[in-house]
Amino acid sequence: MFANLRRISPDVEAEVQRLMPLLNDAEGWSERELRWRDERDALLLFAKIGGLGRSDFSEVRLWDRTAAEATFVSGLVGTAVQPMLDDIRGQAATRFSGIGETVVQAFASRGGNRRYDFEVTSITDQSVVDGREGSLDAYYYHVDTRTLVMLRYVRPGPNGLFSPDARHSLDEFHGRVHRLPRRDRRSADDYSLLDDPLFLRIHEPEPFTAALHRTSSGAIYPYDQVAAAISAAAEPGLSGPSADALTRHLVPTHFAQLVRDGWFGARGVPFEVALDWVKATIDTAGVALVFVDFSLRRRGNGSGITAGA
């Protein structure tokens, strides 16, 4: 089929060449391209939470591979954000502008209903820009309810085991965020991400798909499952923790719905605290995606979220 398309015109030939690297059967994906895959997945997952409909993914479909340098976000057609004083927009860019590669884009629904309105900041530590392998932490922050959710992207090795570097990075991050100041719980049943700070996003072993508006297949696990697997694998004679030891928790679609309805996430988290977590990510994992949702939509019936205006 592609051979026939190439004969039509030089323009079609160029378009086919642009799409070829996005096919599932592409081989030889670099570490940077796999990070692009992770970052794109996080962006689309959080965009669904933020209210972006299937028909609104035109900016993502227009992703320009050649413009994507250290980050997937840099290849998107969006609106560049200028830091603004005394406003949450631009705070991440202002704080991390000198740390490596920082890219900020803004997206809002056209028209007056403002069904979605969000800003995405991608921060890549200089050492990762220079070639060091890095993991991605993705943060979703809803401004109106000050709700925070976080995903750590993990890729097990070919043997299904988590690498020592991945385990060390997780342990170091976990230790750092628990040393940060923590607010008092208002009641015994007040769910807080500060007590269970991580969800892990583990992909099936596949690169980009041609359908850029879809998140990748895989599952999402609470951090305590992974911590328990790591602890159990520390016993003498075991080679290391395996992804097979984890009980499948949530598919991305279900996870997005539960976050959107308020069942997952820490409420009442100041944005400055979220940025402290981002700093811990950059120091340990190397790459952070910060999705800030400004939509004033009504939340669901989750125990951790009150209804917004």
Side-chain angles (χ1 to χ4, degrees), residues 47 50-53 55-59 79 89 106-119 293-297:
L52 202 69
S55 62
D56 296 316
F57 280 106
S58 59
E59 290 89 351
T79 302
R89 295 182 192 266
F107 302 89
S109 54
R110 294 170 178 83
N113 60 354
R114 306 290 281 186
R115 188 177 75 257
Y116 61 88
D117 178 14
F118 59 85
E119 171 187 308
D293 183 358
F294 297 95
S295 62
L296 300 176
R297 53 181 168 71

Side-chain angles (χ1 to χ4, degrees), residues 136-137 150-155 162 166 170 196-203 218-227 230 246 249-250 255:
L136 170 73
D137 285 346
M150 178 187 162
L151 290 174
R152 162 66 60 94
Y153 278 69
V154 178
R155 297 193 299 271
F162 297 117
L170 272 170
D196 185 14
L198 283 172
F199 288 94
L200 265 68
R201 175 76 162 101
I202 301 177
H203 282 308
I220 295 171
Y221 305 86
Y223 172 75
D224 56 3
Q225 280 196 36
V226 181
I230 291 174
L246 302 176
H249 185 61
L250 285 169
F255 180 84

